Amino acid sequence: MASSNHNLSIAQYAIGLGDDALTLGHRLSEWCSHGPYLEEDIALINISLDYIGRARMFLDHAATVEGEGRDEDQLAYFRDDREFRNRLIFELPRGDFAETIARQCIVDPFYVLFFEALMQSKDPVLAGIAGKAIKESRYHWKHTHSWMLRLGDGTAESHQRILTALDEVWGYHFELFEMTDLDRELLDAGIAVDLAALKPKWDSMIDEVLTAATLTRPEDTWRQSGGRNGEHTEHLGHLLTELQFIQRAHPGLQW
Amino acid sequence: MVAIQTRAEIQALLDQVFDPEIPVLTVTDLGVIRGVDIQPGLIRITLTPTYSGCPAMNTIEQDIRAILASTGCAVEIDTVYAPAWSSDWISDAGREKMRDYGIAPPEKDTHSKKVLMGADPTIECPHCQSTQTKLISEFGSTACKAMYHCDDCLQPFDYFKCI
């Protein structure tokens, strides 16, 4: 049965959201047994698990509405880097602990706002996933927020390292608020989120935490995007070689 | 011929399915079963996950299938995400069992609580009932729990997160 163009657009949208969650979930999972101490190790892996769960829900929805007989595993394991639609910030290496927290500081408030808006989507599955994920993202933000205070307002060393880490990742935050043609098409249909409209609230959440953490907001001197068009950093290919290895070597293998 | 099962019979079977991560709680106590639809020869169960990535869901699904196999009916399990699961759905009996097991049950009524930046709730130690407890980590041994420490009996304990 041929899918309508509308369904293909929804599938593409869900693939983007699923790829964001999959790549970040993988990056966070790399902390497993490498966390700064046991409780924090567990925290990062719990957050990772939330993202992997979202990836499964989004990719499963994409596969269903696409109606071409693919499933969530085929989407996750058998697409090449240029077919991935995640935004660049999610594929960046985990870096040191400061870099991981700096990325979460950008991403968590974004997701709190994004899922609040996606809960109003006319697509009931997307709205349902958002209703579930919003609770998790609020919890994630609480965790990241406390780390920003501890690192920013901690020692001279921790202050400097979180500042450097924020600088490294800052130029990637713009892409989170960029509207593609697909976003605009589905926004008109009442399905997608108006990303640009989230920016003022995000700015105030970021400014609040940076001020509380005695940190200076990085300047907007550079920006990078392209993930939604399949144009990625070199890091994604390396990430996928690890993420996809077993299924590529032994297609269809199950635990 | 397959007999039509009564709702009470099905419920009695489901009451034997336990959460693999908190094995004193049944899936009914946990509030993850959102619907039981019984038709001749067919039982349709609607499930909702506690957390997006809850790794127990597959096991719970398999356990439900295994126990309902004794009815001889076909079993269909649908997973739904909306409305999103809330810790308010954990039954009172479930809260008591959790406390006896050494896990502090979640505060009730998530709506009135400031989940985000509000003051942390006072959590009672499940071992000695002291309220002199402190948060060690927002994340515990499973996605649904946080770690606390009791300043009176000096025991660490799990707190089932309120979401």
Side-chain angles (χ1 to χ4, degrees):
Chain A
M1 194 173 69
S3 294
S4 69
N5 284 337
H6 181 61
N7 277 353
L8 287 179
S9 294
I10 295 174
Q12 203 57 40
Y13 188 67
I15 284 175
L17 298 178
D19 288 350
D20 287 342
L22 183 63
T23 45
L24 183 57
H26 185 83
R27 284 303 187 206
L28 289 168
S29 80
E30 292 173 0
W31 280 102
C32 189
S33 82
H34 299 289
Y37 55 90
L38 182 60
E39 287 81 1
E40 189 52 33
D41 195 289
I42 290 170
L44 291 171
I45 301 314
N46 267 305
I47 297 170
S48 164
L49 203 53
D50 286 338
Y51 278 102
I52 305 280
R54 292 174 192 180
R56 292 190 58 184
M57 294 191 285
F58 282 128
L59 294 180
D60 176 62
H61 184 46
T64 305
V65 292
E66 177 189 70
E68 288 178 9
R70 297 200 284 186
D71 64 13
E72 55 176 279
D73 285 343
Q74 279 158 324
L75 288 171
Y77 296 124
F78 294 97
R79 283 179 300 143
D80 292 335
D81 54 350
R82 294 300 293 261
E83 296 168 273
F84 268 72
R85 289 291 176 269
N86 63 284
R87 290 169 287 197
L88 304 178
I89 192 168
F90 301 107
E91 73 197 35
L92 300 177
R94 71 181 156 101
D96 63 12
F97 186 67
E99 285 170 68
T100 282
I101 293 299
R103 166 165 46 198
Q104 292 308 121
C105 181
I106 287 172
V107 162
D108 290 343
F110 168 77
Y111 271 134
V112 168
L113 299 169
F114 176 79
F115 285 129
E116 255 168 34
L118 189 65
M119 282 169 71
Q120 312 303 320
S121 173
K122 284 184 181 160
D123 182 302
V125 177
L126 292 178
I129 297 170
K132 186 117 223 75
I134 179 86
K135 296 184 179 196
E136 298 158 358
S137 276
R138 286 185 182 133
Y139 209 83
H140 300 170
W141 178 223
K142 192 175 171 180
H143 168 258
T144 303
H145 192 278
S146 72
W147 269 114
M148 288 301 291
L149 302 188
R150 288 168 74 180
L151 295 176
D153 200 11
T155 64
E157 168 83 7
S158 70
H159 181 90
Q160 190 50 49
R161 286 177 73 163
I162 190 67
L163 208 53
T164 307
L166 270 174
D167 267 336
E168 290 284 326
V169 76
W170 189 252
Y172 293 100
H173 86 266
F174 300 97
E175 193 181 14
L176 296 175
F177 304 98
E178 277 178 16
M179 293 290 285
T180 62
D181 290 344
L182 179 69
D183 285 313
R184 274 185 286 272
E185 176 199 327
L186 291 178
L187 177 62
D188 288 344
I191 288 167
V193 169
D194 184 352
L195 298 169
L198 306 178
K199 185 68 165 37
K201 277 190 194 166
W202 182 85
D203 280 331
S204 61
M205 288 170 84
I206 290 293
D207 288 342
E208 182 277 325
V209 71
L210 292 182
T211 304
T214 72
L215 294 165
T216 314
R217 183 176 165 128
E219 287 182 31
D220 296 345
T221 51
W222 60 280
R223 60 162 70 199
Q224 193 61 261
S225 59
R228 282 286 191 255
N229 299 323
E231 293 152 12
H232 293 280
T233 68
E234 68 173 292
H235 306 297
L236 180 65
H238 295 285
L239 183 155
L240 292 180
T241 51
E242 184 171 312
L243 190 154
Q244 298 181 332
F245 170 76
I246 290 183
Q247 284 300 322
R248 296 281 186 149
H250 308 279
L253 182 76
Q254 298 205 343
W255 291 107
Chain B
M1 279 295 289
V2 176
I4 300 176
Q5 309 286 322
T6 67
R7 181 162 290 272
E9 284 167 345
I10 302 295
Q11 189 57 54
L13 290 171
L14 290 175
D15 285 344
Q16 297 171 43
V17 179
F18 291 88
D19 176 352
E21 289 180 339
I22 309 174
V24 290
L25 292 187
T26 69
V27 286
T28 311
D29 289 331
L30 202 54
V32 294
I33 293 193
R34 304 315 297 163
V36 180
D37 180 32
I38 304 163
Q39 291 169 20
L42 174 68
I43 303 167
R44 193 177 286 131
I45 306 283
T46 308
L47 269 184
T48 196
T50 52
Y51 284 76
S52 298
C54 178
M57 291 313 293
N58 285 349
T59 309
I60 288 175
E61 213 180 296
Q62 285 167 11
D63 290 350
I64 290 175
R65 284 184 194 284
I67 203 135
L68 292 182
S70 67
T71 63
C73 297
V75 176
E76 277 180 21
I77 298 183
D78 297 321
T79 302
V80 295
Y81 305 123
W85 181 84
S86 159
S87 51
D88 290 349
W89 295 353
I90 299 175
S91 68
D92 288 337
R95 285 164 198 272
E96 277 315 305
K97 288 187 225 171
M98 216 186 269
R99 205 189 314 273
D100 291 342
Y101 189 60
I103 299 173
E107 302 277 284
K108 268 210 166 179
D109 189 16
T110 46
H111 299 293
S112 64
K113 286 167 44 57
K114 292 194 172 76
V115 181
L116 187 49
M117 292 303 156
D120 285 322
T122 305
I123 306 301
E124 193 179 278
C125 171
H127 306 299
C128 73
Q129 284 74 52
S130 165
T131 51
Q132 299 300 311
T133 60
K134 61 172 183 261
L135 177 73
I136 297 174
S137 173
E138 301 281 0
F139 296 87
S141 55
T142 66
C144 49
K145 287 177 280 179
M147 272 187 277
Y148 275 74
H149 178 266
C150 176
D151 285 341
D152 276 329
C153 71
L154 305 180
Q155 291 295 314
F157 65 91
D158 275 332
Y159 166 60
F160 200 100
K161 288 183 216 167
C162 176
I163 69 159

